[in-house]
Amino acid sequence: MANVTAQMVKELRDKTGAGMMDCKAALGETNADMEAAVDWLRKKGLSKAAKKAGRVAAEGLIGVALGGTKGVVVGVNSETDFVARNEHIQGLVRMIADVALDVGPDVEAIKAGKVGALTINDAINSAIATIGENMTLRRAAQVSVKAGMVGSYVHNSVSEGLGKIGVIVGLESPGQKDELTMLGRQVAMHIAASNPQAVEPGGLDPQTVAREKDILADKFRTQGKPEAMIAKIVESGLKTFYKEVCLLEQAYIHDPAKTVAQALKEAEGKVGGAIKVTAFVRYGLGEGIDRPDQDFAAEVAATAGKA
């Protein structure tokens, strides 16, 4: 049986908000498997947070670039936050995003892309030699539309198109470009704050849905609910889950009385045509480790009033 350390208990407590003894019991029951321990607490109804924004052990910058009916977002990791404050490195990340806009989101293709006589890979290696710490182009993604526009938003911006959270979202529409641009930024801000997993329920990973069903079913069984009722209760619970993780079903941060879908429908008259969210990408620096003391939703919502 795995040894449950005080550090592991603290990490699980920070991640879930559950009590110390409950966290210790969960780790003991799951052989110190952190993911399984989170599920164990949720099934017992002891976890106060099913998910929270997080980060990996890395710093760096997220870069966003738009062009025509497409947009890209790139994530460049470094060892310290020195990168975010260095103008030369900011220029490098912006250059990486511009090349990604041209060659597409494949990381190896971006590294091979040229700026003058140098490849992006050469430029990254040169920067590493200059600043004395490791840097990596970790990931990149693209969103495009046939007609309409790609909206974007960068949170904790250090320079134009560069920051700690970057979002691109595709709005398919025959409507007015200027109105769509404003709406696209608002929707991208919502995504930065609310961190949805998919546009709508059908876009969720089937394994995610299956896992949620299992957690809900086990939770209701431990509460003594009759087996004949559990399937119905689970379906009701899934609807609540979809409201939390699906973009169109989330409460819109700019007007919480409406869902995002309702807000988009209302905007169609002003835009002058139907609006469909085709896809979105949200990159956050250092995703993976819980940040219990930082409320991104409140922070982005506050920023919305200044946009």
Side-chain angles (χ1 to χ4, degrees):
M1 188 170 181
N3 182 40
V4 177
T5 66
Q7 180 58 38
M8 291 164 68
V9 173
K10 181 183 182 300
E11 183 182 343
L12 183 59
R13 188 180 185 187
D14 288 344
K15 190 182 287 288
T16 64
M20 189 178 298
M21 295 308 295
D22 291 326
C23 289
K24 187 175 180 180
L27 289 163
E29 290 289 332
T30 58
N31 201 29
D33 182 316
M34 194 63 65
E35 274 302 302
V38 170
D39 286 353
W40 189 91
L41 287 167
R42 292 188 61 201
K43 289 173 183 179
K44 300 290 184 184
L46 298 171
S47 174
K48 297 177 184 176
K51 58 179 182 62
K52 287 190 177 182
R55 51 172 300 157
V56 292
E59 295 292 341
L61 281 171
I62 302 298
V64 168
L66 302 177
T69 53
K70 68 180 177 180
V72 295
V73 57
V74 300
V76 177
N77 278 17
S78 65
E79 295 177 40
T80 71
D81 66 355
F82 170 75
V83 164
R85 295 180 277 113
N86 183 293
E87 289 186 6
H88 172 71
I89 303 303
Q90 289 173 11
L92 172 61
V93 177
R94 189 174 288 109
M95 185 165 54
I96 290 170
D98 287 342
V99 169
L101 194 62
D102 183 44
V103 305
D106 181 79
V107 168
E108 294 307 315
I110 296 168
K111 287 180 181 179
K114 284 198 170 186
V115 178
L118 290 177
T119 65
I120 288 295
N121 197 51
D122 292 334
I124 291 174
N125 288 333
S126 175
I128 291 170
T130 301
I131 66 175
E133 68 172 77
N134 192 28
M135 282 180 59
T136 59
L137 170 58
R138 180 181 168 217
R139 53 184 178 163
Q142 177 178 296
V143 168
S144 60
V145 293
K146 292 178 182 176
M149 57 82 61
V150 175
S152 71
Y153 172 70
V154 174
H155 188 60
N156 279 347
S157 177
V158 297
S159 183
E160 183 68 28
L162 304 174
K164 291 192 174 183
I165 298 177
V167 176
I168 51 176
V169 55
L171 298 184
E172 193 92 44
S173 176
Q176 302 172 52
K177 291 291 191 292
D178 55 344
E179 293 291 345
L180 280 172
T181 299
M182 291 173 59
L183 180 63
R185 176 174 168 78
Q186 295 295 307
V187 174
M189 289 178 79
H190 170 94
I191 294 168
S194 299
N195 196 13
Q197 294 181 29
V199 174
E200 51 194 350
L204 288 169
D205 184 339
Q207 290 186 349
T208 298
V209 177
R211 179 184 175 190
E212 191 65 23
K213 282 183 176 180
D214 288 343
I215 289 169
L216 289 169
D218 284 352
K219 180 179 176 181
F220 294 128
R221 282 191 191 100
T222 60
Q223 293 175 0
K225 302 291 184 188
E227 198 65 32
M229 290 178 58
I230 286 179
K232 222 174 249 191
I233 301 174
V234 165
E235 285 306 313
S236 177
L238 278 178
K239 288 178 182 177
T240 300
F241 175 66
Y242 294 151
K243 288 177 183 178
E244 294 172 354
V245 302
C246 296
L247 172 62
L248 296 180
E249 300 198 19
Q250 290 179 329
Y252 194 37
I253 64 163
H254 306 289
D255 187 353
K258 301 183 180 75
T259 64
V260 173
Q262 289 169 337
L264 289 173
K265 192 68 182 172
E266 287 187 11
E268 288 180 351
K270 192 173 183 181
V271 167
I275 304 167
K276 178 185 178 183
V277 177
T278 58
F280 70 85
V281 178
R282 179 193 187 275
Y283 277 179
L285 255 193
E287 289 165 326
I289 299 175
D290 188 43
R291 299 183 191 184
D293 297 323
Q294 192 168 8
D295 186 343
F296 281 129
E299 191 177 337
V300 175
T303 306
K306 302 173 186 176

